[in-house]
Amino acid sequence: DTAVSQTPKYLVTQMGNDKSIKCEQNLGHDTMYWYKQDSKKFLKIMFSYNNKELIINETVPNRFSPKSPDKAHLNLHINSLELGDSAVYFCASSQRTANTEAFFGQGTRLTVV
Amino acid sequence: KQEVTQIPAALSVPEGENLVLNCSFTDSAIYNLQWFRQDPGKGLTSLLLIQSSQREQTSGRLNASLDKSSGRSTLYIAASQPGDSATYLCAVQQQNYKLSFGAGTTVTVRA
């Protein structure tokens, strides 16, 4: 019974395409995140939603648009994909209190060719 | 801006040796610090969370310390096993609830 699940696990697509990654958590958490892990394995936050409201929006190209239909789901849509978007994207969730663990999904490896 | 540094970047030890992984952060205004494990091609697994008011946290063979004022944490893994081979990531949670990560320490435990 996966706590944070992402789909798809792998995504290979051509430059210029539009793609979406879906994320769902069954932990009852009120906050969800998208992180990007680059080729050097460095994890950097992209977005965070709390109860469907955007609370963190780091410097990310506006080709990336998160959508949270409810607090258990946070999807990531990417328009006009570029080679530099190739990375592993992780969804995470936590409760918006100071001392709760964050739980991560298994990641989506996006390869743009 | 919070910066998190992990030293060393890689570590190789024989089985049975104790592991010491270091993490430092520049802004001491944190809520907590988490240590994660990442296996190749996998997601992150939370190992330990230390609240900002705590000095250490233990789970089995793992012990993590936190010195918030000096911006440092250390993860100790006792009696290492080949199954401990992975990348260990340190992350600090700040007052906007985001986690800032270090680049990780890749550990190899040789049988």
Side-chain angles (χ1 to χ4, degrees):
Chain A
D1 191 19
T2 305
V4 182
S5 59
Q6 297 178 228
T7 54
K9 189 172 181 182
Y10 299 98
L11 186 52
V12 181
T13 187
Q14 291 188 324
M15 274 196 313
N17 284 350
D18 302 339
K19 291 293 178 186
S20 292
I21 307 171
K22 296 186 176 182
C23 179
E24 175 181 5
Q25 55 96 2
N26 62 6
L27 298 166
H29 288 161
D30 60 5
T31 304
M32 296 184 73
Y33 309 81
W34 279 109
Y35 283 83
K36 179 180 179 180
Q37 188 171 43
D38 60 25
S39 56
K40 295 182 180 175
K41 308 298 183 188
F42 192 68
L43 268 161
K44 190 172 180 185
I45 192 166
M46 301 172 68
F47 302 104
S48 176
Y49 270 75
N50 175 253
N51 284 321
K52 303 194 298 176
E53 180 184 346
L54 181 65
I55 56 171
I56 296 174
N57 184 353
E58 295 289 291
T59 308
V60 176
N62 59 15
R63 299 181 294 103
F64 290 78
S65 54
K67 283 190 173 53
S68 182
D70 56 60
K71 70 176 190 178
H73 295 84
L74 180 61
N75 304 322
L76 183 65
H77 188 75
I78 316 169
N79 289 328
S80 304
L81 278 154
E82 300 177 358
L83 292 176
D85 297 331
S86 296
V88 181
Y89 293 84
F90 286 98
C91 177
S93 75
S94 70
Q95 195 63 16
R96 192 178 167 90
T97 58
N99 292 302
T100 54
E101 293 172 273
F103 289 82
F104 281 73
Q106 290 297 295
T108 296
R109 181 174 294 276
L110 171 66
T111 303
V112 182
V113 297
Chain B
K1 179 188 170 188
Q2 181 73 267
E3 291 187 5
V4 183
T5 304
Q6 290 187 248
I7 294 172
L11 189 57
S12 178
V13 299
E15 183 176 2
E17 195 163 299
N18 296 333
L19 290 162
V20 180
L21 310 179
N22 296 299
C23 171
S24 62
F25 48 95
T26 54
D27 184 351
S28 62
I30 64 169
Y31 277 160
N32 61 59
L33 184 144
Q34 273 189 260
W35 282 94
F36 292 89
R37 170 185 172 138
Q38 185 175 26
D39 292 284
K42 305 284 187 184
L44 279 69
T45 301
S46 179
L47 297 173
L48 288 167
L49 180 147
I50 312 177
Q51 299 177 24
S52 62
S53 59
Q54 294 178 316
R55 299 285 291 183
E56 68 175 336
Q57 193 67 256
T58 298
S59 176
R61 294 184 294 113
L62 275 59
N63 175 275
S65 66
L66 174 64
D67 184 343
K68 197 175 100 161
S69 60
S70 66
R72 285 186 288 196
S73 176
T74 302
L75 178 67
Y76 301 90
I77 304 177
S80 61
Q81 303 168 358
D84 295 328
S85 298
T87 296
Y88 291 82
L89 294 159
C90 161
V92 294
Q93 186 177 52
Q94 299 162 249
Q95 290 163 350
N96 58 1
Y97 296 96
K98 79 174 187 182
L99 284 170
S100 296
F101 282 85
T105 295
T106 299
V107 170
T108 303
V109 180
R110 308 186 302 271

